[in-house]
Amino acid sequence: MNTAMHTVLLAVSIASLAACGSVAVPRERYYRLAPPDPASADPQRAGVLRVMDLQLGTALDRDCLLVADGVRLEPQPLERWVAPLDRLVTDALVLSLSRSGTVALVKGGADPGRETWSLHGRIIDFAEVASGGERRARVGLELWLEARDAVLLHDEFVAELPIEGPGSAGAVVALSQGVQQVVADLVRRMDDEGVFAAARPPAPATGR
């Protein structure tokens, strides 16, 4: 190779390296679920609710956000959960139920002591949904409540909300609101079926 050709190739290599150095490298972004605002506590609240660790469906077992289009799931590799999704949703349930003010204490699965009820479940849907050009967030949880080995209630709770904010951050906000809506629906069911009332101490007798 003559000197002139070598000089040309060297110049091209240096220019290519400089061009590569100027390209912005994509950065991963990490998300948590937004915590709920505290509600006014029921002055007659009673009982201890233990929230067991949720199971996570195999199709959702990813550390990145998902966009669902029918049966197709599209992972977003640069948009990631800051912790395993089952832990994030379990923690969100514990905090949301605690801040609902409906029971005396909400505990996690590893917390010591006894409980009045235990809540079990699995995550069956947790993704942004492409629906006719509209972005929506869908949260689906199968939940069942037990007390003394008896099942008090068992149902699927689904919340689907429009995504109003831009990008993945908007999707995470809507998914957080979906969890909070599921908790509100669960609390309503527990109240309607007399779960909370059964744990309250009897009213003192009034003498004449």
Side-chain angles (χ1 to χ4, degrees), residues 59-78:
L60 303 177
D61 192 6
R62 302 289 185 272
D63 63 354
C64 57
L65 275 65
L66 298 171
V67 177
D69 186 0
V71 296
R72 185 171 65 88
L73 288 173
E74 186 69 34
Q76 308 299 300
L78 297 179

Side-chain angles (χ1 to χ4, degrees), residues 27-163:
R27 296 180 58 187
E28 295 176 331
R29 288 175 287 268
Y30 292 87
Y31 299 91
R32 65 169 186 167
L33 294 171
D37 295 327
S40 299
D42 181 353
Q44 293 184 304
R45 64 190 183 279
V48 176
L49 174 61
R50 184 185 299 278
V51 180
M52 306 303 294
D53 292 345
L54 296 179
Q55 304 169 40
L56 183 61
T58 304
L60 303 177
D61 192 6
R62 302 289 185 272
D63 63 354
C64 57
L65 275 65
L66 298 171
V67 177
D69 186 0
V71 296
R72 185 171 65 88
L73 288 173
E74 186 69 34
Q76 308 299 300
L78 297 179
E79 313 295 327
R80 312 180 80 87
W81 295 113
V82 73
L85 182 59
D86 52 339
R87 289 300 319 148
L88 289 175
V89 179
T90 299
D91 290 348
L93 278 186
V94 171
L95 185 59
S96 295
L97 286 164
S98 179
R99 290 188 174 182
S100 71
T102 51
V103 298
L105 179 64
V106 180
K107 301 196 294 188
D111 290 329
R114 296 184 178 182
E115 68 278 347
T116 312
W117 317 277
S118 61
L119 182 67
H120 308 253
R122 59 178 60 93
I123 306 167
I124 56 177
D125 224 343
F126 208 88
E128 177 180 338
V129 179
S131 177
E134 181 185 11
R135 298 175 66 217
R136 301 184 68 82
R138 181 184 297 154
V139 174
L141 303 180
E142 180 188 3
L143 300 172
W144 58 95
L145 186 73
E146 296 182 4
R148 300 183 184 87
D149 297 325
V151 178
L152 302 183
L153 68 84
H154 174 213
D155 207 346
E156 289 186 12
F157 296 84
V158 178
E160 187 168 320
L161 303 170
I163 298 174

